[in-house]
Amino acid sequence: MPRRFSPRFIRHGLLLCTSAIGTGFLGQYLVDKNKVKAAEPALHRPDVWLDDFPSREVQIDKMSKEPEYDIVVVGGGATGCGIAVDAASRGLKVALVEKYDFSSGTSSRSTKLIHGGVRYLQKAIMQLDREQYHMVKEALSERGNLLKIAPHLSYPLPIMLPVYKWYLLPYFYAGIKAYDIVSGRQLLRWSYLISKTKALELFPMLKKEKLVGAIVYYDGQHNDARMNIALAFTAARMGANVANHCAVTEFIHETTQVDHGNGKAETKKLIRGVKCLDRYRNKEFTIRAKCVVNATGPYTDSIRQMDNPTAPKICQPSSGVHVVLPDYYSPNNMGLLDPNTSDGRVIFFLPWQKHTMAGTTDTPCEVTDYPSPSTADVDFILGEVKNYLSSAVQVRRGDVLAAWSGIRPLVLNPDKKDTQSIARNHIIHVSDTGLVTIGGGKWTTYRQMAEETVDRCVSSANLQPKNGCVTKGLILTGGEKWTPTSYIRLVQDYGIETEVAVHLSNTYGDQAHKVADLSSLTGKRWPVVGKRLHEEFPYIEAEVIYAVKEYARTAVDILARRTRLSFLNVIAAEEALPRIIEIMAKELHWNEQKQKEETDRAKTFLLREMGLNLKRDMRRNVPINFTREEMGYYMKHFRQIDVDNKGFLTLSDLKRHLQVSTSDISEEELRILMREVDQNQNGIIETEEFLQLMSALNTGAVSTSHFVKAARIGKIKSNAPPERSGGGV
């Protein structure tokens, strides 16, 4: 019997549909009437624009000798570097120090989106929250500006919102259209509604059961770490003195008489600079300044309490985990938004750097120098991804190529209990000693945050800038002469292969030729120059040399930020590490002990922060759960290799067995096969290690195995298909 709907239900449904359609037509009318297009800000170069920037050592030397700066910024993330750019553009003398590397913290571990925040707009509308509405509007305005000032690093990205219940279509459509309208003159492109057929055409991996249609809208995407580095060296080319790997160890306080203008003077303790430690050279130095800015993200409160141990905390850190999957999990030009996860969070599923990135979680955490992804977070993300993908796509832990956690510096709101409800508004606070703290905020609004912070510095420290804020439309280094076809000149002028040329152009912009100039001959007919660090990625050896010129001083600086290798494939990063160490050792004159220290530090970073430990732990913990038939099948293959019946396999056993079927196999290839199975790294393959590999392949914990392919061990057919979960990174 057909289901009957109540008149009230029908009235509400018609009202919702009418509202959605009306919102769409109203927005389209406003755009057509006012000819609102993606905004074209007045792009301009800074007044001071050096052809190049000084070396790191020269920068530190200048900081220690300068009598007094107007502003010294503590923190080299997006906000700190943005403040340095803003202050330098006003003609102020500015210095910046960062404890680790530029963008080493939260700014390199984002979702890579330049966006206003669809979920924040939803909350603003549903809760009639004016503050969140203005935050979204501000972010959308900044989104348009950032896409223009760094065109080589950012671009519009279509994102699909699939809908599986017909009555939700008008609801989501109205919300996304409202997002378009709030964008105003910064609108990238209009969102649009598509049918089920069209949705599956654009996103073939999508689950088609019960799909009724989808909505596609546009936001921006960027290479966050490189954008941060571009900000740092934009400031340097404008005359600012910036240095990484310099930790602030102490504030310089002085007692002064402050005249309030009413004939009364007050004695106050004010900050007049910072004491720093150059962590790379283990050398202390002092920077004197009229105003000190605390732009340290999650470390906001620790810097505040360095100034005043009794200062209350104003930030609440939250961990956001992302995972990276192979490119076949998503189309290369369409993202996906899951607006309703099982616990109410939002999950993005995005193409990035020819891979697929999924995230993020949002969990309260403690501040740490080494944020690590957890197995539970990775499982949660994969579970949500699985809900939206076709059953033909097996979501396996073995396919996770990397996983990382970033700590968001959310502003604490004591009236709300969960961090998902905390808007990323920023707070600017000036302490009694004059310390200016900028806390909270988000990547997209870094420029607005920087402008407001410098304004506060000017008023609180009575600074004398030459002009007001001019960073709206201020082109970043690399973006001035870049065009989408700039890579062609690299191919033609240097003989670099096309994939590498595109990467260099889209990373360094109009400065890419400086990297190409450092490229060495390949010894091949083609490409002429540009030796790759890893055959699967377009990163070349010359980038390591150039990174050293850009103040990279550790192997992690290269793996994580100057290239994005550790974020894309942690195994490939580990494989490229020896050559990176070799090049850096030559450039920086490292001895053998220093090389070993850097190697060990980089391996620890990959294990702890990029998810390599999850891969190894999961592999070791895979249960050996075979039927009697399966156990007999795999043990038969084991004994065929272990002809002496020792109970373990040696390199000689493996070599003898493989040479029967494969005459051409090198010693290095044999060692690679051994290391893949030899989890204990004791030089032999034990029976348990062999069986664990077979079990890991059956469960999806390991996606592929060179050892199994070389030994020609096929899968035994089972009546019941195994559960494809677990493993990977």
Side-chain angles (χ1 to χ4, degrees):
M1 184 175 179
R3 183 179 177 183
R4 297 184 63 185
F5 296 100
S6 68
R8 182 180 179 186
F9 180 86
I10 294 173
R11 283 197 304 271
H12 285 185
L14 289 173
L15 179 62
L16 195 58
C17 291
T18 304
S19 300
I21 295 170
T23 302
F25 278 112
L26 175 61
Q28 189 70 56
Y29 169 74
L30 291 173
V31 168
D32 293 340
K33 182 175 183 292
N34 296 291
K35 300 187 182 300
V36 177
K37 297 181 180 179
E40 297 286 346
L43 296 176
H44 58 279
R45 276 178 52 171
D47 292 336
V48 177
W49 197 232
L50 305 176
D51 291 335
D52 211 340
F53 43 83
S55 70
R56 177 180 179 276
E57 289 66 35
V58 169
Q59 293 276 38
I60 294 174
D61 188 54
K62 287 183 177 180
M63 289 182 194
S64 62
K65 293 179 179 178
E66 182 68 37
E68 187 176 53
Y69 285 93
D70 291 310
I71 296 174
V72 59
V73 183
V74 183
T79 304
C81 290
I83 292 168
V85 170
D86 189 293
S89 71
R90 302 192 198 199
L92 296 171
K93 285 195 293 186
V94 59
L96 179 146
V97 288
E98 160 61 41
K99 182 179 180 181
Y100 296 110
D101 188 22
F102 306 118
S103 189
S104 60
T106 308
S107 296
S108 64
R109 305 178 188 224
S110 72
T111 310
K112 323 303 179 193
L113 286 177
I114 310 170
H115 64 139
V118 173
R119 65 169 173 155
Y120 296 135
L121 182 61
Q122 178 194 29
K123 289 183 179 181
I125 294 173
M126 301 301 291
Q127 301 171 9
L128 299 178
D129 189 331
R130 181 176 295 181
E131 181 185 2
Q132 293 225 41
Y133 169 78
H134 284 299
M135 184 190 72
V136 174
K137 189 171 181 63
E138 175 187 279
L140 289 172
S141 174
E142 293 300 325
R143 177 189 69 179
N145 180 68
L146 191 50
L147 288 169
K148 296 300 177 183
I149 64 175
H152 58 302
L153 294 171
S154 58
Y155 44 87
L157 176 72
I159 300 175
M160 181 183 295
L161 196 163
V163 183
Y164 288 88
K165 295 179 180 178
W166 66 266
Y167 60 84
L168 288 178
L169 264 177
Y171 171 75
F172 287 132
Y173 182 71
I176 295 298
K177 280 300 174 186
Y179 192 65
D180 288 345
I181 294 170
V182 174
S183 300
R185 293 185 177 275
Q186 300 290 356
L187 178 68
L188 301 179
R189 294 172 193 171
W190 269 106
S191 61
Y192 54 92
L193 182 67
I194 56 176
S195 65
K196 172 182 178 179
T197 302
K198 187 64 176 177
L200 293 172
E201 179 184 330
L202 294 174
F203 208 113
M205 310 82 177
L206 200 60
K207 183 175 71 175
K208 62 182 179 180
E209 291 80 12
K210 298 183 180 180
L211 180 68
V212 296
I215 301 157
V216 177
Y217 73 99
Y218 288 83
D219 258 325
Q221 190 176 49
H222 69 154
N223 182 345
D224 52 1
R226 190 67 213 175
M227 186 74 80
N228 197 153
I229 292 168
L231 284 168
F233 289 101
T234 296
R237 291 184 67 185
M238 294 166 64
N241 297 131
V242 302
N244 56 354
H245 298 291
C246 291
V248 171
T249 57
E250 187 180 344
F251 286 120
I252 300 171
H253 291 96
E254 291 183 358
T255 302
T256 60
Q257 293 288 325
V258 179
D259 187 358
H260 294 288
N262 55 2
K264 295 182 179 180
E266 179 186 1
T267 301
K268 289 190 69 175
K269 185 175 74 170
L270 299 176
I271 291 179
R272 283 292 177 259
V274 293
K275 292 182 179 180
C276 300
L277 173 66
D278 178 352
R279 298 175 62 250
Y280 181 70
R281 296 187 297 176
N282 196 29
K283 179 181 177 181
E284 294 182 339
F285 63 100
T286 299
I287 309 174
R288 298 193 66 84
K290 298 174 184 176
C291 183
V292 177
V293 175
N294 171 16
T296 54
Y299 299 96
T300 293
D301 290 323
S302 63
I303 296 296
R304 278 166 48 83
Q305 291 175 349
M306 184 186 293
D307 173 43
N308 177 10
T310 63
K313 292 186 177 182
I314 62 172
C315 267
Q316 179 169 313
S318 172
S319 170
V321 172
H322 295 79
V323 302
V324 170
L325 300 162
D327 58 352
Y328 55 74
Y329 271 86
S330 70
N332 61 10
N333 61 349
M334 179 69 70
L336 188 73
L337 168 64
D338 176 2
N340 290 308
T341 62
S342 57
D343 66 350
R345 299 184 242 188
V346 171
I347 289 287
F348 285 99
F349 194 59
L350 307 169
W352 185 66
Q353 302 277 310
K354 296 186 177 181
H355 289 68
T356 300
M357 183 181 66
T360 177
T361 59
D362 199 354
T363 310
C365 67
E366 297 297 323
V367 175
T368 172
D369 288 343
Y370 315 109
S372 304
S374 70
T375 300
D377 285 327
V378 171
D379 287 342
F380 167 77
I381 293 172
L382 292 181
E384 296 301 325
V385 166
K386 190 174 183 179
N387 291 336
Y388 274 85
L389 294 186
S390 167
S391 57
V393 180
Q394 295 180 342
V395 180
R396 306 177 300 183
R397 279 288 300 275
D399 286 336
V400 177
L401 303 175
W404 73 87
S405 171
I407 301 178
R408 302 186 190 91
L410 304 185
V411 177
L412 178 64
N413 185 336
D415 296 328
K416 297 181 180 180
K417 296 180 180 179
D418 59 291
T419 59
Q420 295 97 308
S421 298
I422 300 175
R424 288 175 208 160
N425 299 16
H426 57 273
I427 290 175
I428 300 175
H429 177 264
V430 182
S431 71
D432 292 338
T433 59
L435 176 65
V436 177
T437 294
I438 171 70
K442 55 190 292 185
W443 227 119
T444 307
T445 58
Y446 85 89
R447 193 211 63 82
Q448 181 66 36
M449 294 163 61
E451 178 182 344
E452 293 178 18
T453 304
V454 176
D455 286 344
R456 187 66 69 88
C457 292
V458 169
S459 61
S460 66
N462 195 27
L463 304 179
Q464 302 298 318
K466 294 179 181 178
N467 51 264
C469 179
V470 294
T471 53
K472 198 83 169 179
L474 184 72
I475 198 80
L476 299 187
T477 184
E480 184 183 5
K481 298 176 182 178
W482 178 88
T483 69
T485 57
S486 294
Y487 73 93
I488 297 175
R489 290 300 303 271
L490 295 174
V491 177
Q492 294 176 335
D493 294 350
Y494 293 92
I496 294 174
E497 57 187 309
T498 302
E499 183 186 11
V500 172
V502 170
H503 154 68
L504 294 178
S505 178
N506 292 346
T507 301
Y508 305 95
D510 60 24
Q511 303 294 299
H513 66 92
K514 295 182 179 180
V515 181
D517 286 338
L518 298 170
S519 301
S520 57
L521 293 170
T522 63
K524 302 177 183 177
R525 183 188 62 80
W526 186 263
V528 179
V529 299
K531 291 182 180 178
R532 295 194 182 210
L533 286 169
H534 193 284
E535 61 182 9
E536 297 173 22
F537 293 87
Y539 306 120
I540 60 175
E541 293 181 356
E543 291 184 80
V544 180
I545 301 172
Y546 188 74
V548 171
K549 297 181 184 297
E550 283 189 331
Y551 310 170
R553 290 296 182 270
T554 70
V556 174
D557 294 348
I558 307 291
L559 290 172
R561 293 169 288 276
R562 301 317 196 281
T563 72
R564 306 313 308 272
L565 200 49
S566 67
F567 281 79
L568 295 173
N569 190 318
V570 68
I571 297 295
E574 187 178 39
E575 292 170 349
L577 178 60
R579 182 56 182 152
I580 290 172
I581 293 289
E582 186 180 346
I583 297 170
M584 295 189 77
K586 182 178 179 181
E587 293 297 312
L588 294 168
H589 311 292
W590 289 348
N591 58 27
E592 289 188 7
Q593 180 182 352
K594 178 64 176 177
Q595 291 179 55
K596 184 179 185 305
E597 289 173 359
E598 283 299 318
T599 300
D600 292 344
R601 185 180 295 114
K603 286 184 176 181
T604 300
F605 166 77
L606 296 176
L607 280 167
R608 184 166 50 190
E609 298 182 53
M610 291 290 114
L612 187 57
N613 62 328
L614 298 184
K615 178 181 179 65
R616 293 184 176 176
D617 290 347
M618 181 56 68
R619 168 75 181 277
R620 292 190 183 102
N621 295 331
V622 171
I624 301 173
N625 188 18
F626 293 129
T627 63
R628 181 177 298 178
E629 180 188 9
E630 290 171 334
M631 182 66 78
Y633 175 80
Y634 291 125
M635 286 305 300
K636 183 181 87 170
H637 280 283
F638 184 85
R639 284 190 288 269
Q640 285 175 354
I641 305 174
D642 179 24
V643 293
D644 297 327
N645 200 26
K646 304 182 299 298
F648 60 85
L649 307 179
T650 65
L651 191 65
S652 299
D653 293 330
L654 194 58
K655 183 177 182 179
R656 180 177 57 246
H657 178 77
L658 294 180
Q659 283 182 340
V660 173
S661 56
T662 307
S663 58
D664 186 20
I665 185 166
S666 68
E667 290 291 330
E668 180 59 28
E669 288 172 323
L670 281 170
R671 290 190 182 90
I672 290 173
L673 297 180
M674 283 287 292
R675 285 199 298 268
E676 184 183 83
V677 193
D678 181 16
Q679 292 293 296
N680 297 330
Q681 300 296 305
N682 60 357
I684 62 173
I685 298 174
E686 299 166 3
T687 307
E688 184 179 4
E689 290 173 329
F690 174 82
L691 292 175
Q692 275 192 326
L693 175 62
M694 298 302 110
S695 184
L697 284 166
N698 284 350
T699 61
V702 173
S703 54
T704 57
S705 168
H706 296 84
F707 176 86
V708 169
K709 295 291 184 184
R712 298 186 177 182
I713 303 173
K715 281 188 178 181
I716 184 170
K717 292 184 178 180
S718 174
N719 295 328
E723 176 65 25
R724 301 286 180 178
S725 63
V729 174

